[in-house]
Amino acid sequence: MAEEKYVLEVINISKSFPGVKALDKVNLRIRKGTVHALMGENGAGKSTLMKTLAGINQPDEGEIVLNGKPVKFDNPRESMKSGIAMIHQELSPVLEMTIAENLFLGREFHYNGNIVVNYPKMNSEARKMLEKVGLNINPTLKMKSLTVAQSQMVEIAKAIGRESEIIIMDEPTSAITTREVDTLFKLIEKLKSTGHSIIYITHKMDEVFRIADEITVFRDGKHVGTYPAAELDTDALIRLMVNRELTEIFPEKNGEIKDVKLSVKNLTRKKAFENVSFDVREGEILGLAGLMGAGRTEVVEGIFGVTKLDCGEIFIDGKKAKIRAPSDAIKLKIGLVTEDRKLSGLVLPLCIKENMTLPSLKNLSRFSIVDRKKETAKTLEMANSLKVKTPSIKQLVQNLSGGNQQKVVLAKWLLTAPQILIFDEPTRGIDVGAKADIYHLVMKLAEEGKTVIFISSEMQEILGMCDRIIVFHEGRISGELTKKEATQEKILKLATGMN
């Protein structure tokens, strides 16, 4: 009888990769019709276990029991057929296919007795799936035209649309705004009421206590414990995750704000943003806030030369700057930590060292020959400074956890010795301990006189980190707030055009 109350049991599962024991005899038990939060720092083994349940990884030892029966998944298709769906932390849509084609990939509708795909029916069903997650867009659009947040919502729609008994959500809100989070949580409550079980992975503490019934904590690939959510609070959960106290997550800033370093005037790119003007000073952290699609990312991509501006001017130290490509921005000592590390921040098949030094090879070379000893020394120094968890700097970046991948992106730009640093969602998919490290790093850079632009969809980050906040609404600046003036309510009003 004891086994029947669990829809899923993971018993003594272990999994090793070259140089790393990712899972060490871990256990997990999921009850029917509940939300079970799986918590831990990056590298704790959460995503590895979920990929094992999804049939992507095969365990070295241990057992998976589904509805009282032992099961083995040799591939993702077998896991899906058994009623398990997974929303992955790292999105991997087929960019040249439409939203509808991605939603029904491998299970397309066909005309009766025909191999021809029934696109009208598929598009109609796709539209219904998108509406469930509050996404009002045309299902015939190609995935490459969507923002990261929209792609995330499509992935959520895909998992929910499979009507699986168990849905794994690995960082499902990492790229979406408060409005989309509320929609998702309403869906989760509805799924619970109809007997679905949710395994929920997140680094956002407020989310855990909003929706979780039970919480399991992993640390360094081991099972620390499982607790009713009502018996824990944020401080207790953090202690279990990191095995230490975390105080002053948002450090106090002591540096002096000096002269204007970067000034942009009337930046415009059609259908993205219009007449955007602002200044940022040395030693200042300027926050860019707004809802999904408000234009924040598009503006900084224009500044960095990723996309072409239709009009507008950029000034650095009062001098007009010509930035036609990212290489021009790098020469001007600008660094951009992009929103999507996997797509545009890293070269995944390369190792840590090669990724870290890619934009600064010129500084590590003499007569066009790279000084390998200097390159290795600089990489080791940066990896140690940012606490990158890896057995070697020769480890392929694609084998790192999401948080450690993000640290490699940060290191890459720090090695260029930038004077202006743009952080676009720098803590997306990063655990609470690593977040605190990054907050201290950003604050230290500002105190050293660097100019910082900080974009985040997490309100507490914007309020806790920024000296001044510019709010975007539908491609325009809708308002500006000082740190003392800023509140969550004021920012949301400006972000929704209610000012």
Side-chain angles (χ1 to χ4, degrees):
M1 291 295 293
E3 289 184 356
E4 291 177 0
K5 66 182 179 180
Y6 297 113
V7 66
L8 174 71
E9 292 181 271
V10 169
I11 304 168
N12 294 325
I13 290 285
S14 293
K15 178 67 179 177
S16 294
F17 297 101
V20 179
K21 186 152 193 175
L23 297 172
D24 187 3
K25 296 186 182 299
V26 299
N27 295 280
L28 181 68
R29 290 177 170 84
I30 308 299
R31 300 176 194 271
K32 186 178 180 67
T34 64
V35 175
H36 196 117
L38 181 55
M39 304 296 290
E41 292 189 274
N42 287 112
K46 309 181 300 297
S47 293
T48 300
L49 179 59
M50 294 305 100
K51 287 178 181 178
T52 302
L53 292 176
I56 299 167
N57 296 331
Q58 278 67 52
D60 298 330
E61 61 177 312
E63 189 176 38
I64 299 170
V65 179
L66 190 62
N67 291 315
K69 297 179 181 179
V71 292
K72 184 176 182 295
F73 304 131
D74 291 324
N75 54 63
R77 185 178 289 274
E78 291 180 4
S79 176
M80 284 188 281
K81 282 185 177 179
S82 297
I84 298 175
M86 182 171 178
I87 301 167
H88 293 270
Q89 177 183 352
E90 300 294 346
L91 305 178
S92 54
V94 183
L95 296 176
E96 290 297 332
M97 295 178 75
T98 69
I99 296 171
E101 288 169 333
N102 272 267
L103 286 173
F104 291 101
L105 192 61
R107 56 191 190 103
E108 295 84 357
F109 292 105
H110 296 87
Y111 291 103
N112 289 336
N114 202 320
I115 62 170
V116 178
V117 175
N118 187 341
Y119 282 103
K121 184 176 181 181
M122 196 160 71
N123 291 335
S124 175
E125 292 299 315
R127 194 178 295 277
K128 293 175 186 176
M129 291 168 67
L130 295 173
E131 286 173 355
K132 283 184 180 179
V133 297
L135 203 55
N136 184 26
I137 56 176
N138 190 331
T140 64
L141 289 173
K142 287 191 175 182
M143 290 298 297
K144 68 180 182 181
S145 69
L146 304 187
T147 64
V148 174
Q150 288 172 329
S151 296
Q152 183 78 70
M153 294 306 288
V154 169
E155 194 70 20
I156 292 168
K158 184 196 294 185
I160 292 172
R162 292 184 184 277
E163 297 183 355
S164 303
E165 187 178 13
I166 299 166
I167 301 174
I168 300 167
M169 299 186 176
D170 192 355
E171 296 286 349
T173 65
S174 62
I176 62 178
T177 61
T178 304
R179 187 180 295 171
E180 286 83 38
V181 171
D182 290 340
T183 300
L184 175 61
F185 284 2
K186 287 175 184 175
L187 276 169
I188 288 174
E189 287 298 325
K190 187 175 180 180
L191 289 166
K192 275 178 58 178
S193 69
T194 52
H196 294 78
S197 302
I198 312 293
I199 302 175
Y200 196 89
I201 300 175
T202 184
H203 294 306
K204 300 179 181 179
M205 294 292 159
D206 59 323
E207 292 184 358
V208 175
F209 295 105
R210 276 180 68 183
I211 62 167
D213 299 296
E214 291 183 285
I215 300 172
T216 289
V217 179
F218 281 10
R219 186 171 65 238
D220 297 328
K222 296 180 179 180
H223 176 238
V224 174
T226 298
Y227 314 85
E231 292 183 5
L232 296 176
D233 59 20
T234 300
D235 290 340
L237 180 54
I238 290 173
R239 281 196 298 273
L240 289 166
M241 288 168 57
V242 304
N243 201 27
R244 67 182 190 274
E245 296 285 349
L246 276 183
T247 57
E248 296 183 5
I249 289 183
F250 296 111
E252 186 177 343
K253 185 163 170 279
N254 299 310
E256 182 183 355
I257 295 175
K258 298 181 180 178
D259 298 331
V260 171
K261 180 73 175 180
L262 172 70
S263 183
V264 300
K265 307 290 185 185
N266 301 317
L267 299 188
T268 298
R269 183 158 67 83
K270 291 176 183 178
K271 297 182 180 180
F273 52 88
E274 189 174 356
N275 293 329
V276 172
S277 300
F278 59 81
D279 298 330
V280 202
R281 296 175 177 271
E282 294 174 347
E284 182 180 30
I285 301 175
L286 175 69
L288 303 188
L291 300 179
M292 178 182 74
R296 300 166 302 168
T297 293
E298 289 79 3
V299 167
V300 297
E301 286 180 343
I303 293 171
F304 196 70
V306 175
T307 54
K308 186 178 179 181
L309 298 169
D310 292 324
C311 66
E313 296 176 306
I314 300 170
F315 297 88
I316 297 175
D317 293 325
K319 297 178 181 178
K320 189 172 179 179
K322 292 182 180 179
I323 303 176
R324 298 185 181 90
S327 56
D328 295 328
I330 293 169
K331 288 175 185 176
L332 292 166
K333 296 293 183 181
I334 303 175
L336 170 62
V337 177
T338 56
E339 179 183 23
D340 190 331
R341 59 179 169 267
K342 188 175 180 182
L343 183 65
S344 56
L346 296 165
V347 183
L348 294 174
L350 296 184
C351 71
I352 292 171
K353 181 172 73 171
E354 290 165 331
N355 270 277
M356 278 193 187
T357 59
L358 198 57
S360 53
L361 286 175
K362 189 175 180 180
N363 300 331
L364 298 169
S365 302
R366 189 177 181 187
F367 304 119
S368 299
I369 299 173
V370 177
D371 184 334
R372 297 301 179 187
K373 286 186 178 179
K374 187 176 180 181
E375 182 187 29
T376 298
K378 288 286 185 182
T379 306
L380 284 170
E381 181 184 345
M382 194 60 70
N384 291 331
S385 175
L386 295 182
K387 302 174 185 176
V388 179
K389 290 182 180 178
T390 178
S392 166
I393 58 173
K394 293 182 180 179
Q395 175 77 271
L396 298 183
V397 166
Q398 64 191 14
N399 294 333
L400 299 179
S401 68
N404 285 304
Q405 286 180 349
Q406 186 73 340
K407 289 181 179 181
V408 173
V409 177
L410 295 172
K412 176 178 77 171
W413 291 114
L414 292 178
L415 282 172
T416 67
Q419 294 301 309
I420 300 167
L421 264 166
I422 304 169
F423 295 90
D424 192 355
E425 304 287 1
T427 65
R428 179 176 170 239
I430 287 179
D431 64 75
V432 65
K435 278 186 178 183
D437 291 339
I438 288 175
Y439 297 150
H440 280 78
L441 170 65
V442 173
M443 206 66 80
K444 182 176 177 238
L445 290 167
E447 288 175 349
E448 290 172 354
K450 304 292 190 294
T451 300
V452 177
I453 297 175
F454 192 94
I455 300 174
S456 177
S457 296
E458 291 193 38
M459 197 68 72
Q460 290 306 311
E461 285 189 348
I462 289 290
L463 293 169
M465 289 295 296
C466 302
D467 299 300
R468 187 164 49 96
I469 300 160
I470 289 174
V471 186
F472 282 75
H473 172 66
E474 296 182 350
R476 290 175 175 268
I477 292 176
S478 57
E480 182 178 320
L481 300 164
T482 64
K483 190 178 186 72
K484 288 182 179 179
E485 294 171 336
T487 64
Q488 183 167 330
E489 183 181 6
K490 286 180 180 178
I491 292 173
L492 283 174
K493 280 184 176 179
L494 289 167
T496 53
M498 293 173 61
N499 55 314

